[in-house]
Amino acid sequence: MSHAHEQEAARSETASGRSTRKLALVAIVNFVGFVVELAGGLLFGSVALISDALHMLFDMLAYVMAFSAGYTAERFERGGTWSYGLHRLEPVAAFLNGILLIPTVGYIVWESYQRFLDPVSIDPVLTIIIATGGLLVNLGSVYILQGDEMSLNERGAFYHLLGDAGGSIAVIVSTAAVAVFDLPVADPVAAVLIALLILWSAGTVLRESTSILLQRSPIDSDELKTELTTLDGVERIEDLHVWQVCSQLTVGTVRLVDGATSLEERREIRLVVHDYLTERGIDHATVECLDADETDSEQTDRTPHTH
């Protein structure tokens, strides 16, 4: 491995460790917020506050799962069986986090419907105080996560936190409406709005994690092929695949026909292509160079498969 690649790997490991620590801190902060909001919702009778607390609970569980996945992947030694370590745990954890949000939405909508049929009086002053505390927790967590380029799990946490902040604002506004305009229906309506925010968060996380699990290319392959053929010595691209193991590890394989007339020239072409793929965000690239007359045997290098 070259010195540049070693530095890149070291930076990746450092970023991964920093990401894991951030997620652990956010999980602790949100657990405290969940306990406070749940206690406040039960004591003061606000279904919106209880809904926001449940949102925090499931977000906290999401952060714990994300932290566990990152912690395990960082410390797992690569071997012959697990060639990329356990980095695949990241999108799996993110996918499960998205799934976990869906039953939360169902519970909040059902509870809001019950409160709509049978309104419950709430303590507006104390409810607003608790909701404001929850909002400060969310903003503090956003501050912890923002900054460097975020991993998939950090982005998932970030989306959750934005939903949480919106939920806290909805609780504050709805409680003020109950206190000022005597509109008890505002509380369950706010809870439904929070449920929609949760559903949006779930959809975002599920879409991104599914893209990785199903190996959707993060780069436009046709565009990348065109770019590669503009490099000196590259005549055409025979085969190109790009996919992600996790949000911070992109893998690519390229089979190309070159115009090299010597082994040294071919080596230079391979290095140029490899460096270009690295610049395009591919962390682990494999480049195979062929003569024009070698492409006829291409099909013999592939194993046919059926579904």
Side-chain angles (χ1 to χ4, degrees):
M1 181 182 291
S2 68
H3 181 64
H5 291 160
E6 288 177 354
Q7 288 183 323
E8 182 65 30
R11 284 196 297 269
S12 178
E13 289 178 4
T14 301
S16 179
R18 187 165 53 246
S19 169
T20 301
R21 290 191 294 273
K22 285 182 179 181
L23 289 169
L25 182 57
V26 169
I28 293 171
V29 170
N30 276 263
F31 178 73
V32 174
F34 155 71
V35 172
V36 174
E37 283 205 343
L38 180 63
L42 294 174
L43 287 173
F44 312 136
S46 171
V47 67
L49 199 55
I50 293 174
S51 300
D52 202 35
L54 288 175
H55 193 184
M56 274 195 174
L57 171 64
F58 275 88
D59 285 353
M60 186 273 294
L61 293 175
Y63 307 147
V64 169
M65 292 175 66
F67 164 77
S68 300
Y71 185 87
T72 302
E74 284 173 23
R75 284 153 182 77
F76 185 83
E77 294 282 340
R78 294 184 184 181
T81 303
W82 306 92
S83 59
Y84 289 110
L86 292 179
H87 290 287
R88 203 65 160 179
L89 284 175
E90 184 215 49
V92 171
F95 180 81
L96 292 176
N97 290 339
I99 293 295
L100 282 175
L101 289 173
I102 296 176
T104 310
V105 174
Y107 171 79
I108 292 174
V109 171
W110 172 254
E111 189 64 25
S112 300
Y113 175 69
Q114 297 301 314
R115 290 295 181 91
F116 180 78
L117 296 178
D118 186 18
V120 176
S121 61
I122 65 175
D123 187 321
V125 176
L126 292 176
T127 299
I128 288 178
I129 291 174
I130 297 294
T132 302
L135 178 60
L136 292 176
V137 167
N138 295 326
L139 294 178
S141 299
V142 167
Y143 177 78
I144 292 171
L145 285 179
Q146 60 84 36
D148 301 326
E149 182 180 355
M150 292 186 287
S151 68
L152 174 61
N153 277 324
E154 283 184 304
R155 288 200 302 274
F158 190 78
Y159 295 142
H160 286 311
L161 290 170
L162 291 180
D164 281 340
S168 296
I169 292 172
V171 173
I172 294 170
V173 172
S174 66
T175 305
V178 171
V180 177
F181 302 108
D182 191 25
L183 292 174
V185 71
D187 186 55
V189 167
V192 171
L193 291 177
I194 294 172
L196 293 176
L197 286 171
I198 297 174
L199 200 60
W200 174 78
S201 297
T204 301
V205 175
L206 286 172
R207 183 175 64 253
E208 292 191 4
S209 59
T210 301
S211 294
I212 293 179
L213 291 174
L214 297 182
Q215 297 185 334
R216 179 180 183 271
S217 176
I219 301 173
D220 188 309
S221 296
D222 291 335
E223 179 180 317
L224 183 57
K225 284 181 180 180
T226 301
E227 293 171 0
L228 290 174
T229 54
T230 63
L231 300 177
D232 291 339
V234 178
E235 295 188 354
R236 68 176 182 274
I237 304 300
E238 290 291 317
D239 195 45
L240 172 67
H241 295 283
V242 181
W243 70 97
Q244 289 181 297
V245 175
C246 65
S247 65
Q248 295 179 315
L249 179 57
T250 301
V251 182
T253 61
V254 180
R255 179 197 294 252
L256 59 89
V257 175
D258 62 35
T261 57
S262 66
L263 290 178
E264 181 61 28
E265 189 176 351
R266 172 161 290 176
R267 178 177 176 277
E268 289 298 322
I269 292 172
R270 184 183 295 111
L271 287 175
V272 168
V273 172
H274 193 282
D275 289 343
Y276 187 84
L277 294 175
T278 300
E279 291 175 4
R280 292 287 270 114
I282 298 175
D283 308 291
H284 186 95
T286 301
V287 180
E288 181 182 6
C289 298
L290 304 172
D291 292 324
D293 57 0
E294 288 184 286
T295 59
D296 294 334
S297 62
E298 178 184 1
Q299 295 302 321
T300 62
D301 296 335
R302 297 182 178 181
T303 302
H305 67 279
T306 58
H307 295 282

